[in-house]
């Protein structure tokens, strides 16, 4: 969970030009962010993995006649012997890596699945019994490939979520910065107001959205922020600056009152 959460957070905040350790996340946050990978498709895939080996038993419980149950079991044994084929498919997919785009995780997944199928009793029928170190090595390599799958998916998911957050900045928490001195903070959508000499906080900056807050540091983005050209601003909350957090704007159509209502 720590590994997956770290990769997800790294991919997410690097999109906004921030380093993971510079922001200051702890291990608990890494573990919690890893839960972002636990989605309905993942649960469905895990359920199938645990269910498929028990299909013959389920058919017997449902009253299916024994010849058909044996036929299903034999087909399962044949599928279990396809482990080497899956490994070969994974190797081929690695050779085609640059053409897989967002499906690169298929290559290590095929290799891991092939190695794990080779450890089943069905795949071992008619073959010499493997030694303990051979089984341990196969499981170790399969585990490494599964970790690679997690790494690829965590990074890809972090980048997708970051792009989605960048496209929906309007909905994030609004930030108003009041400062005693003029700040070198400009950008698309940033509005600067001089409130006059008589006020302690003379300058007000609006048109900002909160990305994250850590240890009295506010990481903010201008409303028109673009990944390839704009900066992420870091505001230190001290005696010369006051930071106000306000609700972000929703879509105008959803927020506007209906006609005929007060």
């Amino acid at each position: 969970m720590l590994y997956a959460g770290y990769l997800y957070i790294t991919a997410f905040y690097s999109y906004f030009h921030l380093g993971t350790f510079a922001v200051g996340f702890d291990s608990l946050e890494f573990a919690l962010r890893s839960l972002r990978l636990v989605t309905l498709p993942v649960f469905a895939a895990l359920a199938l993995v645990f269910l498929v080996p028990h299909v013959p038993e389920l058919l017997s419980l449902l009253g299916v006649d024994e010849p058909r149950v044996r036929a299903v079991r034999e087909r399962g044994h044949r599928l279990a012997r396809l482990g080497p084929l899956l490994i070969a498919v994974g190797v081929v997919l690695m050779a085609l890596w640059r053409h897989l785009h967002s499906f690169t995780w298929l290559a290590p997944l095929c290799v891991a699945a092939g190695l794990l199928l080779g450890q089943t009793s069905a795949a071992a029928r008619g073959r010499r019994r493997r030694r303990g170190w051979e089984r341990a090595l196969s499981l170790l390599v399969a585990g490494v490939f599964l970790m690679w799958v997690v790494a690829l998916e965590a990074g890809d998911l972090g980048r997708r979520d970051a792009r989605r957050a960048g496209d929906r900045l309007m909905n994030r928490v609004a930030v108003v910065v009041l400062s005693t001195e003029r700040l070198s903070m400009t950008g698309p959508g940033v509005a600067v107001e001089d409130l006059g000499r008589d006020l302690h906080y003379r300058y007000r900056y609006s048109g900002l959205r909160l990305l994250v807050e850590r240890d009295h540091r506010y990481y903010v983005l201008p409303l028109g922020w673009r990944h390839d050209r704009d900066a992420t601003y870091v505001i230190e909350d001290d005696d010369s600056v006051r930071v106000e957090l306000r609700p972000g704007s929703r879509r105008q159509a959803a927020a506007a009152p209906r006609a005929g209502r007060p």
Side-chain angles (χ1 to χ4, degrees):
M1 292 179 68
L2 292 175
Y3 178 64
Y6 167 74
L7 292 174
Y8 174 85
I9 288 178
T10 299
F12 184 93
Y13 287 99
S14 63
Y15 183 82
F16 299 102
H17 321 305
L18 295 174
T20 303
F21 294 107
V23 176
F25 293 101
D26 56 28
S27 57
L28 177 60
E29 289 174 302
F30 289 152
L32 292 176
R33 290 298 182 95
S34 69
L35 298 178
R36 180 68 180 85
L37 296 174
V38 183
T39 58
L40 182 59
V42 173
F43 275 120
L46 290 176
L48 284 175
V49 168
F50 286 104
L51 180 62
V52 167
H54 301 286
V55 168
E57 289 83 352
L58 291 175
L59 293 177
S60 298
L61 290 175
L62 293 174
V64 178
D65 55 348
E66 187 60 27
R68 292 184 179 179
V69 174
R70 284 199 302 268
V72 170
R73 184 178 288 110
E74 185 59 33
R75 289 174 183 173
H77 291 168
R78 291 176 183 174
L79 289 175
R81 299 188 190 104
L82 295 179
L85 178 60
L86 274 177
I87 296 174
V89 170
V91 172
V92 172
L93 290 176
M94 289 180 195
L96 301 173
W97 187 268
R98 65 179 61 185
H99 303 291
L100 297 178
H101 303 294
S102 59
F103 296 97
T104 51
W105 52 270
L106 279 174
L109 182 61
C110 286
V111 175
L115 290 171
L116 292 176
L117 281 176
Q119 303 306 308
T120 60
S121 58
R125 292 177 60 186
R127 299 179 182 178
R128 70 173 182 86
R129 188 174 181 179
R130 289 192 174 188
R131 298 175 182 176
W133 68 268
E134 291 177 326
R135 292 177 59 85
L137 181 60
S138 296
L139 292 174
L140 177 62
V141 175
V144 171
F145 276 95
L146 286 176
M147 290 294 289
W148 190 7
V149 173
V150 171
L152 292 171
E153 184 58 23
D156 189 54
L157 183 59
R159 285 184 289 271
R160 290 201 306 268
D161 286 353
R163 286 192 292 268
R164 189 179 301 111
D167 293 337
R168 300 175 182 176
L169 282 179
M170 182 67 71
N171 297 340
R172 301 185 73 87
V173 174
V175 178
V176 176
V177 179
L178 299 168
S179 175
T180 58
E181 303 292 336
R182 185 178 290 275
L183 304 176
S184 298
M185 187 165 54
T186 59
V190 178
V192 184
E193 299 175 75
D194 187 344
L195 304 179
R197 297 180 180 179
D198 297 335
L199 295 178
H200 178 68
Y201 295 108
R202 178 175 177 178
Y203 300 97
R204 178 166 61 191
Y205 294 81
S206 57
L208 301 168
R209 290 296 184 267
L210 179 66
L211 179 62
V212 66
E213 183 270 330
R214 282 293 181 280
D215 299 327
H216 302 288
R217 293 195 306 270
Y218 296 83
Y219 300 83
V220 299
L221 304 169
L223 275 176
W225 185 88
R226 291 292 179 269
H227 165 71
D228 56 347
R229 70 184 186 196
D230 297 322
T232 298
Y233 297 108
V234 183
I235 307 298
E236 294 278 354
D237 189 3
D238 54 26
D239 293 337
S240 64
V241 171
R242 187 178 80 190
V243 177
E244 296 180 354
L245 303 180
R246 301 178 180 180
S249 301
R250 302 297 176 183
R251 291 184 179 179
Q252 186 174 1
R258 295 182 180 179
R261 292 190 177 183

